[in-house]
Amino acid sequence: MEKWEYTSIKFESKGFMGGVLDTSHFDNELNNFGEQGWELVSCFSTTQDGGKCREIVAVFKRRK
């Protein structure tokens, strides 16, 4: 049976109303994790009042 390990990272959104993501930094971090054997399996945003995006969470997995 295959075994997996998981990790997650958070990216804070910027801007007065939230929801602005530094995509260059985001892409660099995703690529860094990919180079270490991690596979992105989920990516979602968390919200605050009024549905504004507070942060982006990226979840990765790799074989143990």
Side-chain angles (χ1 to χ4, degrees):
M1 178 167 84
E2 286 187 277
K3 294 188 177 187
W4 303 91
E5 63 179 322
Y6 295 86
T7 193
S8 59
I9 54 174
K10 294 180 185 177
F11 299 90
E12 302 236 351
S13 63
K14 306 292 183 205
F16 176 69
M17 301 296 281
V20 178
L21 179 65
D22 180 348
T23 55
S24 178
H25 174 66
F26 183 75
D27 290 345
N28 286 337
E29 287 297 308
L30 295 182
N31 285 325
N32 287 338
F33 274 78
E35 288 174 7
Q36 297 173 39
W38 293 99
E39 178 183 3
L40 180 66
V41 294
S42 182
C43 192
F44 56 91
S45 64
T46 62
T47 57
Q48 55 190 7
D49 289 342
K52 300 173 197 136
C53 176
R54 181 176 56 206
E55 60 193 7
I56 307 298
V57 179
V59 180
F60 298 85
K61 74 174 185 179
R62 69 178 173 187
R63 285 188 179 88
K64 275 190 150 186

